Amino acid sequence: MEKMDWSIITGITSILIAICALILSIWQGIIIRRHNRVSVLPHLTTWTHTGHNEGIYGVDLINNGIGPAFIELFELKVDGKLVKGEGAEQIEKALKIIFPHYGYKSHQSYVAKGYAMAPKEKRPIVVVQFTSTERPSPEEIEDAFNRTDLTIVYKSAYHQIFTLNTKEEKSNKQIYLAAENSS
């Protein structure tokens, strides 16, 4: 009878060890999958730069994530209204709306659906250089850019969907600055 008891105990122990190993393997697989998703995560953001003395203003699109961003949608609004056009034409039209009384030269870029923006890639979306002697003030520039709203929908390599919305970024920045100033 004792021999039988040990074989049952050994069998049950073996089954428990196998179940624990299976659970551990599944748990490790979940953790590895999460890590792999995070290790190729893109993060698009904008960066505004100015040269007030030269009358140059620009907005860059930057992927400061660690994975490529696959572009799904590029949409530009001024005063809440969609600016229609193909490619960089949207940006040209938006500039005419926000700076109707100033002479300027501009350079525009556009990221189309299907474009894969590499990690650490920086692309100038718009650079404006005012050419007339009468230039807008820095406040007018800021007000004009605040009237615009760029939305870019993009995916990660694992098809996770993300959205860059400059209106939301601006509101988050204003909330942060207000909180910083009140302390």
Side-chain angles (χ1 to χ4, degrees):
M1 191 78 174
E2 275 184 41
K3 193 172 184 185
M4 192 95 159
D5 290 335
W6 279 110
S7 64
I8 291 173
I9 291 172
T10 304
I12 291 173
T13 305
S14 297
I15 290 172
L16 287 175
I17 290 171
I19 290 172
C20 289
L22 178 64
I23 291 170
L24 183 63
S25 295
I26 291 170
W27 182 63
Q28 279 184 316
I30 291 169
I31 289 175
I32 289 169
R33 185 172 179 179
R34 284 182 190 162
H35 175 268
N36 288 346
R37 285 178 182 257
V38 170
S39 70
V40 294
L41 208 59
H43 181 262
L44 296 185
T45 189
T46 56
W47 181 262
T48 305
H49 51 91
T50 61
H52 294 298
N53 295 338
E54 300 83 23
I56 298 174
Y57 302 88
V59 178
D60 295 337
L61 178 64
I62 302 167
N63 180 0
N64 62 9
I66 53 178
F70 298 95
I71 306 301
E72 291 293 311
L73 174 76
F74 183 97
E75 184 177 86
L76 185 61
K77 293 180 182 177
V78 175
D79 299 326
K81 295 177 185 169
L82 182 64
V83 179
K84 296 186 184 219
E86 293 296 316
E89 182 183 7
Q90 293 177 39
I91 299 168
E92 292 172 26
K93 287 180 177 180
L95 288 173
K96 288 178 184 175
I97 295 169
I98 62 176
F99 298 120
H101 306 294
Y102 295 103
Y104 59 84
K105 294 187 296 186
S106 64
H107 170 77
Q108 302 85 351
S109 293
Y110 170 75
V111 287
K113 180 177 177 162
Y115 179 73
M117 190 167 191
K120 308 304 177 211
E121 183 178 346
K122 179 178 172 183
R123 174 125 349 250
I125 294 295
V126 63
V127 178
V128 178
Q129 181 173 16
F130 293 95
T131 56
S132 60
T133 55
E134 188 177 322
R135 295 180 182 165
S137 68
E139 293 78 21
E140 287 178 281
I141 299 288
E142 187 173 339
D143 288 343
F145 281 129
N146 284 337
R147 293 173 53 198
T148 64
D149 179 18
L150 175 63
T151 301
I152 299 176
V153 177
Y154 59 100
K155 289 183 181 178
S156 72
Y158 281 95
H159 302 286
Q160 295 164 291
I161 297 176
F162 302 95
T163 302
L164 163 69
N165 182 287
T166 57
K167 238 353 160 204
E168 290 175 11
E169 275 191 354
K170 290 173 194 169
S171 63
N172 289 340
K173 182 178 176 185
Q174 290 168 352
I175 290 168
Y176 173 76
L177 290 175
E180 195 175 73
N181 290 336
S182 66
S183 55

